[in-house]
Structure formats: C-alpha cells, structure tokens
C-alpha cells in the first residue's frame, strides 16, 4: 500500500514537472505545426480568406522553377560551408586546449563573443563592413591601392561574405563543444602515444580526431540544420540579393508568407522543406551511425 | 520535508502561470473598463477627458507637425494623447492581428492600411467636407483600393521630383532644365554620363529603390501596369514599350547609376549618395527637400523638372493619411481631432511646420527664402504631371494581388539574373493569375 502511494506520488511529481514544458511544447511547437499543415491545404491569406483547396499549393510549388532554384541554392550553400563549420572550430579548440600556448582563455572569450550577438545585428554590422560604397573593407582596400570589390553586385562575393559571417558567428559555440570533447579524452592515451614516439600531429589525427567523432556528429547535424535555415544573417547582409542570388529557402518561405500574403503556399513550402530536412538529418544519422561508432 | 518542497514548488509554479495568464488575458478588459469609465463624453458638446491613441510609423523628429497639432488639440480640449509607434513594414503584418483581436488604436497615420483594408476604417465623407480638398490627393492618398470610399484624409502630400547637384552641373558645363524646357529621359541619361565624367561625382544619376520611382519612366513612355478592359482590367506590364523602358533603365544602371542599389545587393540609400555628393542627379521625392536644405552644405542643390518620355512627363503623388479605425475605442474622439486639424487656421499652421505641398484648396505653404519658393513651385508643378495611366493603375488596385514581386522582378532584371523581357513577362503571368485579369500581351 505504502509502495503504491509512493509510486503515485512519484508519478504525480513527474507529471507536475513535465506538464508545463509539455504545455509550452504543445502551444509553441505542436499547435503551429498542426496549423501549418492545415494552412498548406488552404488559400489562407493571413486574414480573411481561408478556403480548402486540396493539394493545389503543393502542385504550384512542385511546378515552380524558382522554388527548385532556391532549394538548390540552399543546398549548395550548406554543402560548401559545412567543411568550414567543422574544421575552423576544431582547429580553434585544438589550439585553445594546447598546453604550450598562452592567452588561450582570452582567445576562447574572443572567439565566443560573436555567439552572443543577434544574427540580425551581426548581419547588419557585416553589411556595413562590406558595403560597396562606404564599407570599411573597400575603404581599406582602396587605401592600399586595390580596386574596391563588388561585394553587393557579384553573387559569388555576396555568398562569400554571408559564409564568412555565418562561420564567424557560430565558430565560438562549436569550438566550445569541441573543447568539451577534447577535455574528455583521457590524457593517458596521449602519454602512451608519446612514449611510443608519436608526434603531436599523429596524436591529433590518430587519437583526438577519431575520439571526437560523436562531437563532430553533433556539430555536423547542428551546422547542417542551421545552414539550411539561415535567415536573419542573410536579411542583415544582403536581403537575398543581388537579384535573388542569396535568397535561401527560409527567405523564400518568409517572403511568400509575410510579404506576399500567401500563407497557404508558404505553409506548404514549409511542410515540404521540413520533410527534406528530416530526410537529410536521417541520412546523416545513418552515414555517421549517429557518431556512435569510430 | 521533500514532499512539502515538491508541493510548494508545484504550487508556486501554478500561481506564476495563473498570474501570467491573467496578466495576458486581462489587459483588454482593463482597457475597456478604463475607456468606459473615462468621463466627459457627450453627444452634444466636444468630448473631453479621454485618451486618443494614435498609431504612427516613426519616432517623431524635429518639425513634427502632427505631434505639434496633437499637443495643441490636447491642450485645447483637455484630452490626453498616447502615441504608438509601429514601422511601416511592421504595420503591414501587425494590423491584421490588431483588427482580429479588436485591439485597434483610435487614429492611424498610414500610407496604405486604410486603402488595403477599407472595411476596417470610417468613411471620411461623413467626417469632413471633402470638397475642400485637392481631389487628386484624395483619390490617390485617401481612397480605398477596392471602392470609391475615402477612408483617409491626407496629412502628408508628396510628389516625386528630381534633385540635382548644382556644383556638379557647373563643373560638367551642363545647364539644368527648366519647367518650360524640360529634358527628355535620353537627354538625362546622356547628361548623367557627362556629369559622371566631369562633374566630380561617382554617379551621374541615382534613384530610390521604389517601384513608384521606376514607374515614372514607364508612364512617361506611355506604358502602364494594366489597362481598362470594360468593367475589368487587362495586364499590360509586359508591353513592348515597358520592356524597352526597363531595358534602357538596366543599361543606365550599368553606365551611370550605382547598380548595386537597384540590383538588390545592398541596403545603401541613394539619398545618402546624393547628400554625400556622390550622385549628380537624384530621382526621389518632395519629402527630402527640407532635410536637404538643412543637411547639405558641401555643395548647392536644386530641384529640376522631371524629364519627358515619348508620352510626356509623369509624376506620382502620394503621402500619408489619417484614418479612423471603425472598431477603435474612441471613434468620435478621433473624428473630433480630424475635424479640428482640417479647420483652415489649424491646417495652415500645420502646413508651415510640415513644409510641403498643401492638400487643402486655398491654403498653401509659404517658404522663407526665394530659392525655396522657386523650388517649391517646381515641385508643386510636378503634381500636374500625374498621368491618366497612373490613375487607371491605381483604380485597378493591382497591389491587392501582387506588390513586392514587381520590384523584385525589376531588381532581378537590373542584376542581370534575368532579361527585362523575362522579368516583366514573369510578373505579368503572376499578376494575371492572381487577379484573374487577361493578359494584354
């Protein structure tokens, strides 16, 4: 009887702690998700018009060339940036955990600071730095006798600026993940390797890197998702231009929904993209075995 | 002890959640109560002792004519003013939610809400005598997109116009056009090239990134977005004349304009280029005049008439209107303020602070200097160049169907991503599909 009462109390406590989170999750995630799926079958304009139109939005999206171009652009942007999202934080983490370097705490702090910035604020700052006419970088280039670069006109340069900004703002966070991973590797392994005559680079590639695979998997997954849904940074830097050359999928969905009042269409695009993202994440899980196997 | 702590924690959490829910849900009820309790409302005399909630789009700056008028009215009538600032862009997304939640301000100063959502606003024909106003201004700035109802009274009346850098013109040996002898658009592009080469400016010509500025070129060359087709309209934005105009504009961007601006890769403001002395000619609007007069000291600037196209000159007028939400808490109070503002003596005072073309017949702004008087005369004259094609486009309310896509199409053409023909054909398809109007080309 006492045991049953104890079990009941535990269960009740469990639910009392879980229910607030569950309620928030339901209100801010499940409900919008359900609404979004429902809107995707309507011509909802955000206000008064909302008629059921079946699969029309999906048909329109899947026959829209701009949608495919935007998805392809997003995937290319993601794939091109992923190596940097992993390599730069890993290198920084290896450096700041090195015993032979001084001032690593300061470097850690400096690298982490951009993580605290709002992506939009960071984007606007980068926009100011890379402004074509009055930007700092072009000013400095001109000072040393180099012609100003067309950051705002050349699609490749505009993408490079966004990529640099994206890596700059996220490197600190991923570096911390790697620092945690490196600190968890047993020192004895390095000592044993040292006794066996292994050089530091060999130890890094043969010990550090393989044992960081679970961390790398997390960084890979988070980076992929964040790159696929890059939005605020792009809004701050290029507004998707020149033309539509830096318009990625979230900009496209946002523009359709909030600028063109095609909430139904935007919701359908959101559903399709969510499925695509889930597939990509599943492939990553499969390919890396969840980072669990070295 | 442990149980007590669990119970206390759970109880505390429940209280906090209940309080936060109460705080969220209770606000409207409280406001309503306050509104009902506020005294002084009378069907016979002026309303006193209430609070007028006014929604504006930007932080009031120097020369805040509306703010000054509100303050004066508040002192005269004993009512309070509460200003809510929501940017133009945010108004667009937030207003529908405000309407849904019946959480409307009493008065809105807006450039489009009253036209886009006329059913949410009071018909102004019952508030003021509309015959006292400039009819073009009422039609363009005050009228609903979907009906003949005047849902806003313009408190700001502006026209597109062209500014030029007198020093750059002098250095390039170019004489500015006059109202009697305006340039053609081809002359403007040619002269801009000379100014860019010899006038000590980076760019010969710059234009605001606004489809309304670009459309001046289109109307001047006889083009339009739509044409009347019986009771309906047909889409003509991709006419050969329009494709030629856009092609020439793209060329001008490559030769004499800061291309990055119209290509959409930067948020740089061409007005700043002009103010910094980097652009010789600027296509913008009368709303910049006072800022230029106070801010530009590096060179002398002037106002010149808009060039002629194959069909003549063109201008687009616009502005901001005062509109009264029909579901506001103090509709009568808002009406009282609007009536007060447009009494001749109050409007004349308002206009002297606003320093812009007048929206009321028989009342005009009188600038202090001869230079300003001459230049205001040029700007006032620009309002005569509003074309019939522009009026037809406005009457069609095409922006109800597609809006930003038009500017985006223009940007993609300027950036070189697509051809001018593809840009306009694509937009014509999209507009035709959304509106149900047939395509003319």
């Amino acid at each position: 009887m006492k045991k049953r009462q104890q079990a009941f109390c535990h269960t009740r406590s469990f639910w009392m702690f879980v229910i607030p989170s569950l309620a928030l999750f339901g209100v801010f995630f499940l409900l919008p998700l359900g609404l979004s799926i429902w809107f995707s079958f309507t011509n909802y304009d955000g206000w008064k018009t909302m008629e059921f139109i079946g699969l029309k939005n999906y048909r329109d999206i899947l026959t829209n060339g701009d949608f495919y171009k935007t998805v392809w652009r997003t995937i290319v942007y993601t794939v091109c940036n992923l190596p940097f999202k992993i390599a730069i934080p890993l290198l920084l983490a290896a450096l700041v955990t090195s015993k032979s370097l001084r001032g690593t705490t300061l470097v850690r702090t400096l690298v982490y600071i951009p993580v605290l910035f709002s992506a939009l604020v960071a984007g606007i700052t980068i926009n100011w730095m890379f402004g074509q006419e009055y930007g700092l970088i072009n000013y400095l280039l001109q000072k040393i006798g180099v012609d100003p670069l067309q950051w705002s006109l050349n699609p490749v340069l505009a993408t490079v600026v966004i990529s640099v900004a994206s890596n700059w703002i996220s490197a600190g966070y991923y570096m911390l993940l790697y620092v945690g991973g490196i600190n968890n590797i047993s020192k004895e392994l390095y000592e044993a390797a040292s006794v066996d005559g292994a050089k530091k680079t060999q130890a890094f590639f043969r010990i550090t890197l393989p044992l960081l695979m679970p961390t790398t998997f997390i960084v890979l997954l988070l980076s992929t998702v964040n790159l696929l849904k890059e939005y605020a940074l792009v809004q701050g830097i290029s507004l998707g231009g020149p033309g539509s050359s830096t318009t990625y999928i979230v900009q496209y969905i946002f523009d359709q929904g909030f600028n063109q009042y095609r909430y139904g269409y935007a919701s359908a695009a959101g559903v399709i993209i969510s499925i695509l993202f889930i597939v990509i994440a599943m492939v990553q899980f499969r390919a890396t075995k969840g980072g669990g196997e070295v | 002890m442990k149980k007590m702590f669990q119970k206390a924690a759970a109880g505390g959490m429940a209280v906090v959640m209940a309080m936060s829910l109460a705080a969220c849900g209770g606000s409207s009820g409280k406001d309503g109560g306050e509104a009902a309790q506020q005294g002084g409302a009378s069907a016979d005399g002026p309303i006193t002792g209430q609070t007028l909630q006014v929604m504006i789009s930007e932080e009031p700056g120097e020369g805040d004519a509306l703010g000054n008028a509100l303050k004066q009215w508040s002192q005269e009538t004993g009512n309070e003013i509460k200003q809510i600032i929501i940017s133009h862009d945010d108004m667009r997304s937030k207003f529908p939610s405000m309407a849904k939640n019946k959480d409307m301000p009493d008065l809105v100063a807006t450039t489009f809400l009253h036209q886009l959502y006329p059913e949410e606003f009071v018909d102004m024909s019952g508030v003021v005598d509309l015959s006292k106003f400039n009819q073009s201004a009422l039609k363009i700035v005050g009228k609903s997109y979907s009906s003949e109802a005047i849902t806003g009274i313009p408190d700001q009346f502006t026209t597109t116009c062209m500014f030029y850098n007198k020093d750059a013109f002098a250095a390039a040996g170019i004489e500015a056009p006059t109202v009697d002898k305006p340039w053609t658009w081809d002359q403007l592009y040619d002269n801009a090239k000379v100014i860019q080469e010899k006038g000590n400016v980076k760019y010969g010509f710059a234009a605001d990134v606004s489809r309304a500025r670009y459309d001046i070129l289109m109307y001047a060359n006889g083009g339009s977005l739509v044409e009347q087709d019986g009771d309906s309209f047909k889409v003509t934005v991709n006419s050969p004349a329009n494709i030629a105009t856009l092609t020439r504009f793209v060329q001008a961007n490559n030769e004499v304009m800061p291309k990055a601006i119209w290509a959409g890769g930067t948020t740089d403001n061409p007005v700043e280029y002009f103010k910094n002395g980097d652009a010789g000619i600027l296509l913008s609007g009368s709303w910049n005049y006072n800022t230029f007069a106070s801010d530009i000291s590096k060179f002398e600037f002037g106002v010149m008439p808009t060039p002629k196209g194959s069909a003549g000159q063109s201008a687009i007028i616009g502005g901001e209107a005062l509109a009264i939400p029909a579901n506001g808490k103090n509709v009568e109070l808002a009406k009282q303020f609007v009536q007060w503002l447009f009494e001749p003596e109050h409007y004349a005072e308002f206009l002297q602070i606003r320093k812009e073309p007048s929206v009321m017949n028989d009342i005009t702004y009188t600038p202090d200097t001869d230079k300003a008087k001459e230049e205001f005369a040029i700007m006032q004259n620009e309002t005569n160049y509003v074309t019939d094609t522009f009026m037809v486009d406005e009457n069609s309310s095409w922006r109800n169907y597609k809006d930003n896509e038009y500017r985006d199409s223009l940007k993609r053409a300027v950036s070189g991503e697509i051809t001018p023909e593809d840009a306009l054909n694509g937009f014509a398809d999209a507009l035709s599909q959304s509106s149900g109007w047939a395509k003319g080309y």
Side-chain angles (χ1 to χ4, degrees):
Chain A
M1 185 65 187
K2 202 178 175 187
K3 269 189 177 176
R4 281 181 67 183
Q5 203 177 355
Q6 261 185 342
F8 173 73
C9 283
H10 271 111
T11 312
R12 192 178 58 180
S13 302
F14 167 78
W15 281 110
M16 284 180 89
F17 277 102
V18 165
I19 280 172
S21 306
L22 214 56
L24 291 173
F25 183 74
V27 170
F28 294 109
F29 181 76
L30 292 179
L31 185 65
L33 181 70
L35 280 174
S36 186
I37 293 171
W38 163 242
F39 289 160
S40 73
F41 297 106
T42 71
N43 61 353
Y44 185 43
D45 66 350
W47 196 9
K48 289 183 173 171
T49 310
M50 187 159 69
E51 291 149 359
F52 182 78
I53 55 167
L55 294 171
K56 185 177 181 305
N57 287 326
Y58 289 93
R59 274 199 301 272
D60 288 351
I61 290 168
L62 296 174
T63 53
N64 186 335
D66 282 345
F67 174 75
Y68 288 110
K69 274 185 201 165
T70 312
V71 171
W72 176 244
R73 197 180 294 128
T74 310
I75 290 172
V76 170
Y77 169 75
T78 303
V79 170
C80 290
N81 271 288
L82 269 179
F84 298 101
K85 289 273 180 180
I86 293 167
I88 294 170
L90 179 61
L91 194 68
L92 287 168
L95 287 173
V96 298
T97 50
S98 166
K99 294 258 163 42
S100 50
L101 290 177
R102 287 187 176 183
T104 51
T105 310
L106 178 70
V107 173
R108 253 186 237 205
T109 312
L110 289 176
V111 172
Y112 191 75
I113 282 174
V115 177
L116 305 174
F117 295 164
S118 140
L120 191 62
V121 172
I124 291 167
T125 310
I126 294 283
N127 174 292
W128 168 77
M129 286 174 68
F130 287 88
Q132 198 152 310
E133 291 297 328
Y134 306 123
L136 178 70
I137 306 294
N138 270 354
Y139 172 77
L140 295 175
L141 286 176
Q142 281 172 297
K143 278 277 168 197
I144 56 169
V146 177
D147 282 344
L149 290 172
Q150 297 195 318
W151 306 110
S152 314
L153 262 182
N154 184 320
V156 176
L157 284 180
T159 309
V160 167
V161 172
I162 293 168
S163 302
V164 168
S166 178
N167 280 286
W168 170 65
I169 202 168
S170 66
Y173 178 68
Y174 297 136
M175 177 195 75
L176 277 197
L177 295 182
Y178 274 122
V179 167
I182 290 172
N183 287 338
N184 278 336
I185 298 172
S186 169
K187 302 286 174 288
E188 288 163 5
L189 289 172
Y190 292 105
E191 284 165 14
S194 174
V195 169
D196 289 345
K199 290 176 184 168
K200 285 202 169 176
T201 46
Q202 281 177 314
F204 178 77
F205 285 107
R206 299 287 173 86
I207 299 171
T208 312
L209 213 52
L211 290 176
L212 282 177
M213 274 309 278
T215 312
T216 302
F217 170 72
I218 295 292
V219 172
L220 181 73
L221 192 67
L222 291 176
S223 305
T224 308
V225 172
N226 287 333
L227 284 165
L228 287 171
K229 61 189 181 73
E230 196 87 83
Y231 173 70
L233 203 59
V234 183
Q235 280 300 102
I237 295 173
S238 68
L239 291 169
S244 59
S245 60
T246 57
T247 299
Y248 302 121
I249 194 63
V250 179
Q251 268 91 2
Y252 178 82
I253 293 171
F254 186 92
D255 182 56
Q256 294 294 325
F258 297 105
N259 290 333
Q260 301 181 23
Y261 303 102
R262 300 173 76 191
Y263 282 73
Y265 181 93
S267 298
V271 170
I272 292 172
I273 290 304
S274 300
I275 293 168
L276 181 69
F277 285 9
I278 290 167
V279 170
I280 290 171
M282 280 172 67
V283 168
Q284 283 185 332
F285 256 100
R286 285 276 170 105
T288 61
K289 299 198 169 82
E293 284 183 24
V294 179
Chain B
M1 185 65 191
K2 204 174 172 185
K3 271 185 191 171
M4 273 180 70
F5 175 74
Q6 281 177 353
K7 279 180 182 172
M13 199 177 284
V15 169
V16 169
M17 287 178 74
M19 281 171 71
S20 61
L21 284 171
C24 295
S27 61
S28 61
K30 192 182 167 201
D31 286 354
E34 271 178 6
Q37 281 167 24
Q38 278 166 352
S42 158
D44 304 318
I47 305 164
T48 59
Q50 293 206 12
T51 300
L52 183 74
Q53 275 203 351
V54 187
M55 187 163 94
I56 55 175
S57 61
E58 57 190 14
E59 197 72 47
E62 211 178 314
D64 174 24
L66 183 61
N68 184 67
L70 283 164
K71 200 172 158 188
Q72 199 182 329
W73 171 80
S74 157
Q75 283 165 354
E76 279 183 23
T77 61
N79 290 299
E80 296 290 320
I81 302 293
K82 186 180 172 191
Q83 291 192 336
I84 308 162
I85 302 165
I86 297 179
S87 72
H88 279 296
D89 288 349
D90 286 347
M91 272 190 192
R92 198 166 192 131
S93 52
K94 285 184 180 162
F95 186 79
S97 314
M98 293 167 98
K100 253 190 213 165
N101 300 332
K102 301 257 184 273
D103 183 22
M104 301 282 247
D106 303 315
L107 186 68
V108 181
T110 174
T111 54
F112 62 95
L113 288 177
H114 60 297
Q115 297 179 300
L116 202 55
Y117 307 118
E119 63 280 14
E120 296 294 334
F121 292 93
V122 168
D123 186 339
M124 288 296 190
S125 61
V127 180
V128 289
D129 179 0
L130 296 180
S131 67
K132 290 181 180 172
F133 292 84
N134 176 316
Q135 294 306 302
S136 297
L138 279 185
K139 236 180 172 178
I140 301 299
V141 186
K143 192 177 82 65
S144 145
Y145 288 150
S146 53
S147 72
E148 290 304 308
I150 302 293
T151 45
I153 299 291
D155 69 308
Q156 185 192 44
F157 182 38
T158 56
T159 175
T160 52
C161 70
M162 306 201 70
F163 298 95
Y164 71 101
N165 181 327
K166 285 187 177 178
D167 294 4
F169 271 50
I174 286 176
E175 210 172 301
T178 61
V179 172
D180 300 327
K181 271 184 81 178
W183 286 346
T184 62
W185 274 102
D186 284 337
Q187 277 177 308
L188 181 131
Y189 290 140
D190 291 342
N191 287 329
K193 229 181 238 179
V194 179
I195 293 163
Q196 190 165 296
E197 282 162 15
K198 301 178 185 171
N200 305 321
V201 290
K202 272 188 188 170
Y203 302 103
F205 174 49
D208 288 348
V209 189
S210 159
R211 55 130 202 107
R213 239 61 83 229
Y214 169 78
D215 283 352
I216 290 169
L217 282 70
M218 176 181 74
Y219 294 126
N221 287 329
S224 63
L225 286 145
V226 298
E227 278 175 17
Q228 194 78 41
D229 185 20
D231 290 342
S232 182
F233 299 90
K234 60 183 176 188
V235 178
T236 54
V237 66
N238 57 339
S239 68
N242 285 354
I243 291 169
T245 301
L246 182 55
T247 305
R248 188 71 185 87
F249 184 67
V250 171
Q251 192 190 336
N253 267 277
N254 290 329
E255 292 172 352
V256 293
M257 296 177 71
K259 184 180 172 183
I261 292 180
W262 265 91
T266 177
T267 49
D268 281 2
N269 185 350
V271 169
E272 295 303 318
Y273 282 42
F274 183 74
K275 278 165 72 176
N276 290 339
D278 286 332
I281 303 168
L282 174 71
L283 169 56
S284 188
S286 58
W287 54 90
N288 285 312
Y289 187 88
N290 298 310
T291 316
F292 286 175
S294 62
D295 290 1
I296 295 178
S297 55
K298 277 183 6 190
F299 61 91
E300 205 180 335
F301 81 93
V303 177
M304 63 185 235
T306 308
K308 284 191 293 189
S310 58
Q313 284 164 282
S314 80
I316 290 181
I317 56 173
E320 178 189 86
L322 292 177
I324 303 173
N327 291 319
K329 292 187 189 90
N330 288 310
V331 174
E332 292 306 317
L333 190 66
K335 284 182 185 174
Q336 184 179 302
F337 170 72
V338 172
Q339 285 159 352
W340 178 92
L341 177 65
F342 291 104
E343 282 169 14
E345 70 272 24
H346 295 140
Y347 184 69
E349 194 180 330
F350 172 86
L351 201 60
Q352 282 307 115
I353 300 173
R354 194 68 124 179
K355 295 179 180 168
E356 62 187 25
S358 168
V359 72
M360 288 190 85
N361 304 328
D362 309 325
I363 297 174
T364 50
Y365 163 59
T366 318
D368 299 333
T369 65
D370 288 342
K371 170 183 153 58
K373 273 178 197 161
E374 273 173 34
E375 287 166 347
F376 263 91
I378 296 174
M379 288 192 284
Q380 192 77 49
N381 191 56
E382 288 287 307
T383 62
N384 298 327
Y385 302 142
V386 175
T387 61
D388 292 342
T389 44
F390 168 63
M391 299 297 260
V392 172
D393 279 351
E394 286 298 291
N395 282 337
S396 74
S397 310
W398 63 273
R399 284 196 296 272
N400 279 0
Y401 304 104
K402 293 281 166 192
D403 192 351
N404 292 330
E405 294 94 327
Y406 180 40
R407 192 186 57 188
D408 292 345
S409 301
L410 299 176
K411 280 183 176 180
R412 290 176 73 186
V414 172
S415 74
E417 193 178 308
I418 50 177
T419 65
E421 192 171 2
D422 287 345
L424 294 181
N425 281 339
F427 180 67
D429 287 341
L431 181 59
S432 171
Q433 204 181 354
S434 292
S435 62
W437 300 330
K439 277 172 46 180
Y441 295 92

